[in-house]
Amino acid sequence: MQVTINESVLELVEGDITSQDTEAIVNAANESLLGGGGVDGAIHRAAGPELLALCRAIGGCPTGEACITQGYRLKAKHVIHTVGPVYRDGRHGEAVLLASAYRSSLDLASVHGVRSVAFPSISTGAYGYPIDQAARLALRVVIDYLGEHPEIELVRFVLFGQPAYNTYERALVEVLTA
Ligand code: AR6
């Protein structure tokens, strides 16, 4: 599914983030930046050991913030590493932190002249954020951002599996018709 926001494209696809040809892909990392499972493990495996060495040198990233590295063996030139919140009960600032993770990633893309970015569904795996809520929030943040930042030409959400894709598709319809 694809929609246009001013001049920019917002796209939902089902697939694997590591094979995307956008200028940057976003990693759902943890505060240590030292790798892990899920998206993080897949990105480090595909990028090669140089990525871990650089992340070690960066020394970490607080929840809700982001940092940028090269993509090494990935098709994407850059990896934007961001840290989403661990979901507890929704009353511990999770929504603010998740919105901040998306916004910080987009800000870094803008600053570095990155015109196309692929996002995974941050926090909805190991970190337990309910995916329907996370999808609505993520899409709202990205739509608002694209409305103000035409320099980002494409944002692609890469959803792992058909159920996640379907959830995002429903959420996008809800957000656009709200
Ligand atoms: N491409 C796209 N999406 C994927 C892929 C992939 N290759 N693999 C998994 N997903 P998660 P989090 C989906 O757990 O919840 C790591 O260990 C997955 O189905 O990767 O932010 C880090 O080091 C889910 O919907 O990230 C942290 O410790 C979504 O990506 C922690 O997990 C996010 O799942 C971060 O947890």
Side-chain angles (χ1 to χ4, degrees), residues 49-175:
E50 296 92 341
L51 182 61
L52 186 59
L54 184 53
C55 285
R56 191 169 284 123
I58 292 170
C61 175
T63 300
E65 297 186 17
C67 69
I68 189 164
T69 66
Q70 290 161 251
Y72 298 101
R73 294 176 206 169
L74 294 164
K75 282 187 201 157
K77 189 171 173 209
H78 306 277
V79 179
I80 296 172
H81 306 259
T82 192
V83 184
V86 176
Y87 189 87
R88 289 167 68 186
D89 54 7
R91 295 176 187 173
H92 288 81
E94 293 96 331
V96 170
L97 289 167
L98 187 61
S100 173
Y102 279 99
R103 222 173 277 120
S104 305
S105 301
L106 291 164
D107 278 338
L108 265 185
S110 290
V111 166
H112 287 265
V114 171
R115 288 162 304 178
S116 56
V117 185
F119 278 99
S121 178
I122 298 166
S123 280
T124 62
Y127 281 180
Y129 208 116
I131 190 165
D132 52 335
Q133 293 175 37
R136 284 195 296 271
L137 185 149
L139 290 165
R140 254 188 237 115
V141 170
V142 168
I143 288 168
D144 286 351
Y145 196 92
L146 291 178
E148 293 164 7
H149 294 269
E151 71 275 13
I152 307 274
E153 296 168 8
L154 168 67
V155 171
R156 178 183 295 155
F157 279 89
V158 182
L159 292 325
F160 205 53
Q162 199 63 42
Y165 177 85
N166 292 343
T167 301
Y168 268 73
E169 196 172 59
R170 271 196 308 275
L172 182 55
V173 172
E174 280 175 38
V175 168

